Amino acid sequence: MKIVILDGHALNPGDLSYDVLKEFGEVTYYPRTQPELTLERIRDADYVFLNKVNLTREILSQCKNLKYIGVFATGYNVVDIEAARDLGIVVTNIPSYSTMAVAQHVFALIMEFYNAVNAHSKSVMNGDWIKSPDFCYWVQPLTELYGKTIGLIGFGSIGQRVARIASSFGMKVIVNTRSAFRIDEYNANARDDEKVRAVSLDELLSSSDIVSLHCPLTKDNNKLINAESLKKIKKGALLVNTARGALIDEEAVRKALEDKTLSGFAADVLSEEPMSKDCPLLNAPNCVVTPHVAWAAKETRVRLLDIAVENLRSFLNGKIINRVN
């Protein structure tokens, strides 16, 4: 059986091994695949693994041996799911592998604004503390998380983990989600001081000191945060996006930063990745952007690869898990 990995570098830049897939067949590895090379590389493949390479109906219909596609991610919009189903190709994803890492990254981004560790360290290393007449100083305001309100848009596994961390800081947590049952389930197992409150989107925007996005991207919430919704946001709020870049109208967010409607914007995702040279957020004021790395801790990637291997093993054993089509 022929296994092809189309863009394996992101998951494994050299610190993991794809040899674990050799028990299933011959493995051909490509660190990256340009669109024009995709069909050539998988035309005779039985199993394909990918992260961000697009598999269209046109491509899939020409892959006569293809039985299985394993997506090295939770999101699977790069695959034409309907075409795969019509052609009898099983598609699986990796759910919930990055919950801990992404929730951790959310607070790393928040702390960049609230504690300004990097700015103060740079000041010290530039010699400012040596010249200071006082035992301490600060280069920008510092803010406590205790007592602040964080509003979570979406309440899946990552949103729930963020809520738990926020509660440990003594924050108030409010949530806007279409899946109200998740709030009920969460509160049923939470202490009184950890319980979250369901609110409308308008109330969340107007009441939150920090707004953090944790919802999937759908046709209905594209550019959910836009010029109109930003008019409703609490003056001076911090906006955080570790979900999907297209949830944000980047032009509108830049304007909100420039007119100080937002005190800051922090993101790990953009509407176009890699970042384009004309991205509105490039060099925007009070803006921190990381290059889609919230999922990239080694422990997280090991977990992802382990699940990917188990997905394929289960498929071959006739007990398909994590199927998305």
Side-chain angles (χ1 to χ4, degrees), residues 2 4 6 30 33-45 48 53-66:
K2 184 176 181 181
V4 176
L6 282 174
Y30 299 100
T33 293
Q34 298 302 314
E36 63 272 16
L37 296 176
T38 302
L39 178 57
E40 173 188 332
R41 291 180 172 180
I42 68 169
R43 189 188 298 274
D44 299 322
V48 169
V53 177
N54 282 294
L55 294 185
T56 63
R57 180 179 291 272
E58 180 182 3
I59 290 173
L60 294 175
S61 64
Q62 298 179 71
C63 300
K64 302 305 182 184
N65 297 334
L66 189 56

Side-chain angles (χ1 to χ4, degrees), residues 125-174:
M125 296 307 171
N126 286 335
D128 295 343
W129 203 8
I130 294 171
K131 297 177 287 186
S132 173
D134 303 306
F135 79 94
C136 74
Y137 66 95
W138 46 93
V139 298
Q140 65 187 67
L142 305 175
T143 308
E144 278 190 353
L145 286 175
Y146 180 82
K148 296 294 186 294
T149 297
I150 185 168
L152 308 180
I153 301 177
F155 204 56
S157 60
I158 295 173
Q160 291 176 37
R161 186 65 185 175
V162 169
R164 290 189 181 93
I165 297 171
S167 295
S168 73
F169 277 110
M171 302 181 74
K172 301 170 186 175
V173 183
I174 57 178

